[in-house]
């Protein structure tokens, strides 16, 4: 049997860990670094580059360099988030026949799952080279607030490269495993996780090896990329004011500015001022133009303060849901590279009234937790740790007049199963359509449709007489399954909640052949 690895497949960087004995260890990539840019690039000579190599040539080949693909996983092309992303990225997006957002490269459509699979393949190769053995299984992490579509898409990406996902685990939960494993302390902790693309807050109680998530909340569209974009917009505006030249359509210039913006942002976590110097950013009749701008930490904070503040209501909601106050939180753990920003540290310190823990590496803690989870699942640490996670979103069905009925409330411990009875609304109705949704709105139309299925062959009866029991299950990966049963005929129709989105098995097989 091959090795199991824990993978933190991040929006901007990914990280891999494994268990050596009972100790989690980071696996360096082929360049010897602990994290790998989640970037794939296709060169003009037909070569495919991943990670640092891909990142290095992004400036000269922006249209064929795919960054932040995680933001598109499990997303519909016409969603608000994809619309926003479309205006920000330099590669092209298109709509797949089932409405999903896909990458368009030389008139070929590539799903986000396939791009993610390319990154996973590289990470798997790095692990195999480091461990000197085959890697066949993985525990893979996802943002706690990922919905069913996004979780399934992540699992499919792993399947494409022959990695069996033995568990999908939420990133903050994973981080807390590392913390609990290292400290062996009983505590109520808050994990504040903001990486390249997503934000999560998870409140958890650790008690004699039992890790119980109390509440989780977040936004799968708030991350470091948004901070970079604010600097980028500022630089473009300033350049326009000074030179009367609009760089917003110049892809090469945009890629260079984006990289410089991210670099300056990182620097400003440690310095008060950073110089952004981009010579020959464009040229015109009067000669070449350059960007040379000083960005201060104060200005960066002014440009991004609202992004930081945007996270606070999610924390308040999680506290409300778990009936905790800030005074009940013993430790605050920061996860994700973006938490190095001093404004975030200050805001979180003020919010909770305590300093976050210092000695934890926010880039590695998630992958390490995934490695620990692999040990738990394989029975190595079973007696030491019991992990009780929750579902981040309510699951329910659409009823008459656009009313959403919750069957499983958010923050219910998983795996879980709940049933509810439904009846017909017309006389002699033989068929009942059940529309499964995920979300928190009272209105069905404002929640995310997961699937529609039909219960057929209901006995003829007056309206309101048949009794149909619908059972919802959420498994340990946070994925939903629904079944329905006509109580009188005993007829059952089981479904998997994934027909209206994502890849079919046939599509996955096709991708496996060409990957
Ligand atoms: P992660 O997904 O955890 O690797 O986080 C990646 C995000 O963290 C990217 O948006 C990075 O720009 C950001 N990041 C990394 N280091 C720093 C830093 N020193 N200051 C601010 N942001 C950072």
């Amino acid at each position: 049997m091959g090795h199991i690895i824990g993978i933190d497949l991040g929006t901007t960087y990914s990280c891999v860990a494994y268990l050596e004995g009972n100790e989690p260890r980071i696996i360096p990539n082929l360049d010897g670094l602990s994290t790998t840019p989640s970037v794939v690039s296709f060169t003009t000579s037909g070569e495919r580059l991943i990670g640092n190599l891909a990142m290095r040539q992004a400036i000269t080949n922006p249209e064929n360099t795919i960054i932040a693909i995680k933001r598109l996983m499990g997303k519909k092309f016409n969603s608000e988030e994809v619309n926003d992303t479309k205006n920000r990225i330099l590669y092209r997006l298109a709509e797949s026949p089932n409405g999903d957002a896909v990458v368009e490269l030389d008139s070929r459509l590539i799903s986000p799952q396939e791009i993610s699979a390319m990154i996973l393949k590289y990470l798997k190769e790095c692990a195999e080279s480091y461990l000197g053995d085959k890697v066949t299984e993985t525990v893979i992490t996802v943002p706690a607030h990922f919905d069913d579509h996004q979780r399934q898409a992540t699992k499919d990406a792993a399947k494409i490269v022959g990695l069996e996902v033995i568990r999908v685990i939420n990133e903050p939960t994973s981080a807390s495993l590392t913390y609990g494993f290292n400290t062996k302390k009983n505590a109520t902790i808050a994990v504040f996780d903001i990486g390249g693309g997503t934000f999560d807050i998870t409140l958890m109680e650790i008690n004699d090896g039992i890790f119980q998530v109390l509440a989780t909340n977040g936004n799968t569209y708030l991350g470091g990329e948004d901070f970079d974009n604010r600097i980028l917009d500022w630089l473009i505006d300033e350049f326009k004011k000074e030179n009367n030249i609009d760089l917003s359509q110049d892809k090469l210039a945009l890629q260079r500015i984006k990289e410089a913006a991210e670099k300056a942002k990182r620097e400003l976590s440690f310095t008060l001022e950073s110089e952004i110097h981009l010579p020959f950013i464009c040229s015109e009749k009067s000669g070449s133009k350059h960007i040379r701008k000083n960005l201060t930490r104060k200005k960066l904070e002014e440009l991004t303060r609202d992004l930081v503040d945007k996270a606070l209501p999610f924390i308040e909601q999680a506290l409300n849901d778990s009936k905790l106050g800030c005074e009940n939180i013993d430790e605050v753990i920061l996860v994700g590279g973006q938490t190095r920003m001093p404004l975030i540290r200050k805001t979180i310190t003020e919010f909770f009234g305590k300093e976050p823990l210092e000695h934890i590496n926010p880039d590695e803690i998630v992958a390490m937790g995934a490695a620990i989870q692999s040990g738990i699942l394989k029975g190595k640490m079973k007696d030491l740790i019991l992990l009780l996670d929750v579902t981040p979103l309510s699951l329910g069905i659409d009823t008459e007049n656009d009313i959403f009925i919750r069957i499983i409330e958010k923050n219910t411990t998983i795996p879980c199963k709940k049933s509810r009875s439904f009846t017909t609304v017309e006389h002699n109705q033989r068929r009942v359509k059940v529309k499964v949704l995920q979300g928190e709105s009272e209105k069905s139309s404002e929640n995310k449709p997961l699937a529609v299925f039909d219960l057929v062959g209901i006995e003829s009866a007056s309206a309101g007489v048949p009794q149909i029991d619908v059972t919802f299950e959420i498994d340990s990966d946070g994925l939903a399954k629904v079944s329905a049963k006509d109580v009188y005929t005993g007829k059952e129709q089981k479904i998997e909640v994934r027909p209206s989105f994502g890849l079919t098995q046939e599509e996955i097989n096709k991708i496996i052949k060409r990957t």
Side-chain angles (χ1 to χ4, degrees):
M1 199 185 68
H3 271 277
I4 314 172
I5 52 173
I7 303 179
D8 169 9
L9 182 63
T11 307
T12 44
Y13 290 89
S14 295
C15 186
V16 185
Y18 78 112
L19 270 192
E20 190 178 278
N22 268 358
E23 286 297 319
R25 299 254 184 268
I26 294 296
I27 298 180
N29 63 19
L30 298 176
D31 298 316
L33 302 168
S34 64
T35 59
T36 300
S38 306
V39 180
V40 179
S41 188
F42 300 85
T43 66
T44 40
S45 58
E47 225 187 329
R48 190 166 82 197
L49 304 174
I50 316 281
N52 290 302
L53 281 178
M55 192 71 194
R56 251 175 255 149
Q57 56 85 70
I59 284 180
T60 49
N61 188 20
E63 285 163 327
N64 300 309
T65 300
I66 320 298
I67 52 168
I69 195 67
K70 186 169 168 180
R71 291 199 132 180
L72 301 172
M73 292 282 271
K75 292 271 175 212
K76 289 286 173 207
F77 182 73
N78 58 13
S79 65
E80 208 179 299
E81 294 99 332
V82 171
N83 233 338
D84 178 60
T85 303
K86 234 174 9 200
N87 301 326
R88 290 276 171 203
I89 53 175
L90 304 175
Y91 52 92
R92 284 169 64 89
L93 293 184
E95 186 170 9
S96 76
N98 72 356
D100 286 355
V102 290
V103 172
E104 187 180 354
L105 261 185
D106 293 335
S107 67
R108 191 182 140 207
L109 300 185
I110 313 180
S111 65
Q113 292 90 319
E114 188 170 352
I115 301 284
S116 295
M118 293 170 190
I119 300 164
L120 289 174
K121 185 165 185 244
Y122 173 80
L123 299 176
K124 181 172 175 261
E125 281 164 7
C126 293
E128 287 176 342
S129 144
Y130 184 80
L131 299 168
D133 199 358
K134 283 258 160 269
V135 171
T136 50
E137 294 176 309
T138 183
V139 170
I140 195 159
T141 67
V142 294
H145 228 64
F146 251 22
D147 63 25
D148 203 88
H149 297 193
Q150 295 166 303
R151 284 167 197 268
Q152 189 60 54
T154 307
K155 259 186 122 168
D156 287 345
K159 199 172 183 181
I160 290 168
V161 290
L163 274 173
E164 189 196 336
V165 177
I166 58 168
R167 183 61 50 87
V168 175
I169 176 173
N170 294 329
E171 286 161 9
T173 308
S174 191
S176 71
L177 274 183
T178 312
Y179 162 81
F181 181 79
N182 288 338
T183 63
K184 312 272 184 298
K185 266 200 326 208
N186 286 344
T188 302
I189 61 172
V191 184
F192 180 93
D193 178 0
I194 182 160
T198 59
F199 156 66
D200 282 321
I201 174 76
T202 291
L203 306 177
M204 153 165 310
E205 197 173 67
I206 305 174
N207 203 344
D208 293 337
I210 299 175
F211 288 62
Q212 163 96 59
V213 175
L214 303 172
T216 190
N217 216 305
N219 183 340
T220 55
Y221 234 75
L222 177 62
E225 283 269 314
D226 301 301
F227 290 73
D228 305 345
N229 287 334
R230 289 291 169 84
I231 304 175
L232 178 131
D233 290 345
W234 174 73
L235 284 169
I236 289 177
D237 280 355
E238 292 289 300
F239 191 80
K240 197 168 177 189
K241 268 189 239 154
E242 287 161 19
N243 300 285
N244 205 19
I245 298 173
D246 181 10
L247 291 175
S248 65
Q249 302 307 316
D250 179 340
K251 294 204 166 188
L252 285 181
L254 283 177
Q255 183 60 37
R256 287 182 66 197
I257 299 172
K258 181 109 197 263
E259 282 195 31
E262 201 248 358
K263 190 164 160 274
K265 177 190 76 173
R266 283 175 181 252
E267 252 174 52
L268 289 170
S269 293
F270 307 102
T271 60
L272 292 176
E273 199 166 316
S274 169
E275 190 192 45
I276 300 171
H277 184 205
L278 292 162
F280 306 102
I281 195 71
C282 67
S283 57
E284 49 163 39
K285 276 189 214 122
S286 60
S288 296
K289 298 278 172 200
H290 319 288
I291 290 180
R292 192 185 278 274
K293 270 310 268 180
N294 272 346
L295 178 62
T296 60
R297 186 186 287 176
K298 190 160 170 275
K299 182 70 189 171
L300 172 65
E301 293 182 350
E302 197 184 299
L303 293 171
T304 59
R305 188 174 299 275
D306 65 306
L307 293 175
V308 179
D309 289 345
K310 216 169 152 181
L312 301 182
F314 293 98
I315 311 179
E316 276 157 10
Q317 186 64 50
L319 285 166
N320 274 342
D321 289 345
S322 58
K323 303 192 175 39
L324 292 176
C326 290
E327 67 286 359
N328 303 116
I329 304 295
D330 302 313
E331 304 279 16
V332 179
I333 299 175
L334 299 182
V335 179
Q338 189 59 44
T339 60
R340 291 202 177 90
M341 184 184 194
L343 179 63
I344 292 186
R345 292 185 165 245
K346 181 168 167 275
T347 307
I348 294 306
T349 306
E350 281 169 9
F351 185 93
F352 284 103
K354 58 172 59 71
E355 293 278 343
L357 285 183
E358 269 304 322
H359 56 277
I360 286 176
N361 182 334
D363 300 326
E364 298 175 356
I365 185 171
V366 171
M368 292 228 222
I372 296 170
Q373 174 70 339
S374 76
I376 300 171
L377 292 170
K378 290 291 166 181
K380 285 194 192 174
M381 297 175 178
K382 217 155 117 201
D383 300 335
L384 289 177
I385 298 167
L386 174 67
L387 183 60
L388 300 169
D389 214 329
V390 298
T391 176
L393 296 161
S394 299
L395 196 72
I397 64 169
D398 177 33
T399 58
E400 292 287 286
N401 303 324
D402 197 26
I403 295 171
F404 177 61
I405 294 197
R406 285 179 174 76
I407 309 284
I408 295 179
E409 296 275 347
K410 69 173 176 179
N411 291 323
T412 302
T413 301
I414 53 171
C416 59
K417 198 174 185 175
K418 281 204 182 142
S419 296
R420 203 176 160 128
S421 276
F422 292 87
T423 189
T424 50
V425 288
E426 285 165 22
H427 293 317
N428 301 322
Q429 187 178 336
R430 305 292 309 273
R431 173 185 281 267
V432 168
K433 196 178 240 32
V434 181
K435 199 168 167 195
V436 187
L437 305 151
Q438 203 171 31
E440 303 315 320
S441 172
E442 302 306 318
K443 285 189 184 170
S444 297
S445 53
E446 289 175 1
N447 289 323
K448 191 157 196 177
L450 290 194
V452 179
F453 70 97
D454 284 319
L455 183 76
V456 290
I458 300 167
E459 290 287 286
S460 284
S462 305
V465 171
Q467 191 189 331
I468 298 135
D469 283 353
V470 178
T471 303
F472 287 72
E473 287 178 67
I474 299 185
D475 68 14
S476 306
D477 292 338
L479 286 165
K481 280 200 178 68
V482 181
S483 58
K485 194 174 184 177
D486 181 326
V487 173
Y488 296 115
T489 62
K491 207 160 198 165
E492 188 153 358
Q493 185 177 325
K494 247 193 163 56
I495 57 150
E496 285 231 338
V497 187
R498 54 167 304 182
S500 61
F501 65 93
L503 300 174
T504 61
Q505 188 55 49
E506 204 179 309
E507 284 167 322
I508 291 178
N509 292 343
K510 262 196 215 154
I511 299 172
I512 290 173
K513 275 196 196 128
R514 64 172 181 251
T515 304

